[in-house]
Amino acid sequence: MKILVIGSGGREHALTWKLRESPLMEEIYCAPGNAGITQEAECLPVDIASPQEILQLARSIHADLTVVGPEVPLVAGVVDEFERAGMAIVGPTKAAARLEGSKIFAKRFMQRHRIPTAEFDVAENFEQATRVLRDFGAPIVVKADGLAAGKGVAVCQTFEEAEQALEGFMRQEILGEAGKRVVMEKRLTGEELSFIVVTDGRSVVPLPPTRDHKPLLDGDQGPNTGGMGAYSDDAILGDRLRDEILRTIVRPTLAGLAAEGIPYRGFLYFGLMLTSDGPKVLEYNVRMGDPEAQPIMMRLRSDLLPVLAAVREGQLGAQEAHWTPNPAVCVVLAAKGYPGQVQVGQVITGYDSAEAIGGVKVFHAGTVMKDDRLVTSGGRVMGVTAIAEDLPGAIQRAYLAVSKIRFDGMQYRRDIGAKGLRHLAAGHEPESSQRRRTPSSSYTLKPQPRHH
Ligand code: AMP
Ligand code: GLY
């Protein structure tokens, strides 16, 4: 098969790296890709916000399957464009991508289908938002309705912080159209978890549980980012919790989509908060997470390509995925200034000695070759990902690899995976001998009648 991967981050590097090892793969391309991805695939330029351009590119290389990494092309309708043209693509349609593209849509959807989430209200203008704020009080979470590349959520401790967030989103329009309408919701407390599945709308294959580290600084301090690191370990979830998530969140979400006549195919990411009152949905993403995809792809033992082909064909029920029980850890190296205005063009050294360490893979994000040297070209520069027999080993390996890499202004968190270690120490999680391995087979959800 000829494969085209769309995107240019660590997630797409991890996907391309994994797909490339498939015996079914004949040719692999990535657009637009990055310097690291050129090791795995031929990189071609494309405007990811243009479904037509992506389709043209897929046609020109005679792609048998296109796999979409980021949300922007999905929300823009790239899947609909391909389907109309009879070209194979993995991802949700524009209608289904509203689960991520509009937080108002997502919250109302959860309300309609009784999916556990924070209590909320919607505000269409600043005056309405102020009334909701007075009504709810602080702490409160203010969320821009539209896509905002991780900058659209303000978790506000005080009334004043919330007023400021509303002022920025709705009056100064710092996010443009995306922030003109907002969701305002109660703050939830607990541990966060990224629960990602791949689905053809009826069957789901859950990927191993993963924990992201969104704030910039150690100890979850500082501004939110796209993600500063992630670890994946089966010990994050016990049996009971996994079953509860599937029963109360995953199943009703897919049933709800089907009942509303919105078929879903592709990766579906449930951003969850494990509250004392059970797991609740913070957000949906209609794609794999980044950096989550990096440790997840490191743990995948079986071939990804037949799974994705089956998703597109609606035949996922017959597929299995096999995961190693070994945990994986990804530490993101970010450029100076991230998540704000970043400095680019800094020379990167030491990545080859980092990768020479066994069990380590450096996935690139904002990198480019310039005059035969690897230089930084974006906020998140690379994801240093390591796998080992246990979590402490994986963390140690990842940071050993990080210590080899240098570029001017490099910033990273020193505590990726530390939450998992604390759990092991406190004995909160199931012992490794009893811990549930991520099951290999898919779960089939009962098909739901469609209401038109
Ligand atoms: P999102 O961009 O929707 O993933 O939100 C970014 C981050 O904001 C999440 O990962 C949480 O850490 C935080 N967040 C979102 N909603 C809530 C909530 N209701 N309560 C507490 N934190 C939240
Ligand atoms: N790491 C969070 C995300 O991909 O949205």
Side-chain angles (χ1 to χ4, degrees):
M1 289 174 87
K2 291 183 186 162
I3 317 295
L4 172 62
V5 176
I6 302 298
S8 61
R11 167 183 50 215
E12 289 75 25
H13 192 178
L15 280 167
T16 310
W17 170 76
K18 189 67 205 171
L19 287 168
R20 189 181 116 104
E21 63 178 44
S22 170
L24 302 172
M25 189 280 302
E26 292 164 63
E27 288 174 27
I28 185 158
Y29 301 86
C30 183
N34 60 44
I37 299 177
T38 60
Q39 297 163 5
E40 335 283 347
E42 184 177 336
C43 293
L44 300 164
V46 80
D47 173 8
I48 64 158
S50 165
Q52 294 83 357
E53 234 186 78
I54 298 172
L55 176 64
Q56 255 173 29
L57 177 66
R59 276 195 169 132
S60 72
I61 59 168
H62 306 287
D64 297 304
L65 190 67
T66 297
V67 181
V68 185
E71 63 278 17
V72 166
L74 296 169
V75 172
V78 71
V79 171
D80 311 65
E81 189 79 18
F82 271 60
E83 297 293 352
R84 274 195 296 273
M87 293 282 285
I89 190 163
V90 185
T93 57
K94 187 172 182 167
R98 277 183 299 166
L99 282 181
E100 178 166 1
S102 166
K103 292 208 190 284
I104 297 176
F105 174 82
K107 292 296 285 193
R108 289 188 171 144
F109 174 87
M110 287 187 263
Q111 192 174 43
R112 283 198 292 281
H113 299 285
R114 297 169 191 273
I115 294 159
T117 188
E119 199 187 314
F120 75 102
D121 211 337
V122 169
E124 308 268 349
N125 56 53
F126 188 80
E127 289 64 40
Q128 213 181 343
T130 315
R131 278 200 297 278
V132 177
L133 176 58
R134 272 200 297 270
D135 191 25
F136 274 34
I140 189 169
V141 183
V142 179
K143 301 184 169 184
D145 177 48
L147 289 186
K151 297 188 179 76
V153 175
V155 180
C156 307
Q157 306 298 339
T158 64
F159 196 90
E160 291 68 34
E161 274 178 59
E163 273 185 325
Q164 252 171 32
L166 291 171
E167 178 75 30
F169 289 170
M170 305 186 92
R171 284 220 166 128
Q172 295 165 12
E173 300 183 11
I174 55 171
L175 301 172
E177 202 55 41
K180 283 192 171 164
R181 303 196 299 161
V182 297
V183 166
M184 300 173 71
E185 65 180 40
K186 295 268 167 80
R187 188 187 64 180
L188 300 174
T189 52
E191 295 259 36
E192 278 187 58
L193 164 71
S194 307
F195 194 83
I196 309 173
V197 304
V198 60
T199 178
D200 63 359
R202 279 190 305 158
S203 302
V204 294
V205 173
L207 311 186
T210 311
R211 203 160 257 147
D212 188 13
H213 297 65
K214 283 220 171 77
L216 180 70
L217 305 172
D218 287 5
D220 288 340
Q221 301 298 306
N224 260 351
T225 70
M228 292 298 291
Y231 70 98
S232 175
D233 184 358
D234 291 344
I236 291 172
L237 264 188
D239 266 4
R240 232 175 20 124
L241 195 50
R242 159 188 297 283
D243 291 345
E244 188 179 355
I245 292 168
L246 285 165
R247 181 171 46 82
T248 65
I249 292 172
V250 177
R251 188 186 286 263
T253 297
L254 294 182
L257 285 166
E260 294 190 17
I262 308 172
Y264 195 101
R265 284 180 186 176
F267 293 102
L268 182 53
Y269 170 133
F270 299 83
L272 305 179
M273 186 75 90
L274 304 177
T275 74
S276 55
D277 194 26
K280 296 193 176 180
V281 180
L282 293 176
E283 59 158 351
Y284 290 112
N285 292 323
V286 295
R287 51 178 171 81
M288 269 220 197
D290 193 4
E292 288 93 329
Q294 301 175 54
I296 289 174
M297 285 299 111
M298 273 300 268
R299 295 189 58 198
L300 180 57
R301 274 215 185 120
S302 52
D303 192 350
L304 179 62
L305 189 47
V307 173
L308 296 185
V311 166
R312 141 82 184 160
E313 301 300 325
Q315 301 291 338
L316 186 62
Q319 289 294 323
E320 291 200 339
H322 298 277
W323 310 92
T324 162
N326 295 349
V329 174
C330 168
V331 180
V332 170
L333 307 181
K336 186 174 178 175
Y338 182 73
Q341 193 73 27
V342 299
Q343 174 180 322
V344 298
Q346 303 303 315
V347 175
I348 308 165
T349 59
Y351 50 95
D352 34 3
S353 23
E355 264 192 347
I357 301 167
V360 172
K361 175 74 188 170
V362 178
F363 294 114
H364 292 223
T367 66
V368 67
M369 289 304 286
K370 203 173 159 200
D371 305 326
D372 280 340
R373 295 207 289 189
L374 188 71
V375 302
T376 64
S377 66
R380 290 190 289 180
V381 175
M382 31 183 57
V384 180
T385 311
I387 191 159
E389 264 170 25
D390 55 20
L391 186 61
I395 293 172
Q396 206 177 16
R397 237 177 218 177
Y399 281 102
L400 175 64
V402 167
S403 73
K404 311 280 180 197
I405 303 176
R406 292 218 166 16
F407 58 86
D408 200 38
M410 176 169 115
Q411 42 169 350
Y412 61 93
R413 280 181 61 160
R414 269 84 177 161
D415 64 346
I416 305 301
K419 274 184 198 142
L421 294 182
R422 278 201 294 278
H423 277 272
L424 290 177
H428 286 157
E429 301 288 357
E431 292 300 320
S432 56
S433 58
Q434 307 160 350
R435 86 158 86 120
R436 170 75 171 265
R437 285 196 182 185
T438 295
S440 56
S441 52
S442 62
Y443 296 75
T444 299
L445 305 168
K446 282 202 203 83
Q448 295 285 314
R450 286 204 186 157
H451 310 292
H452 288 284

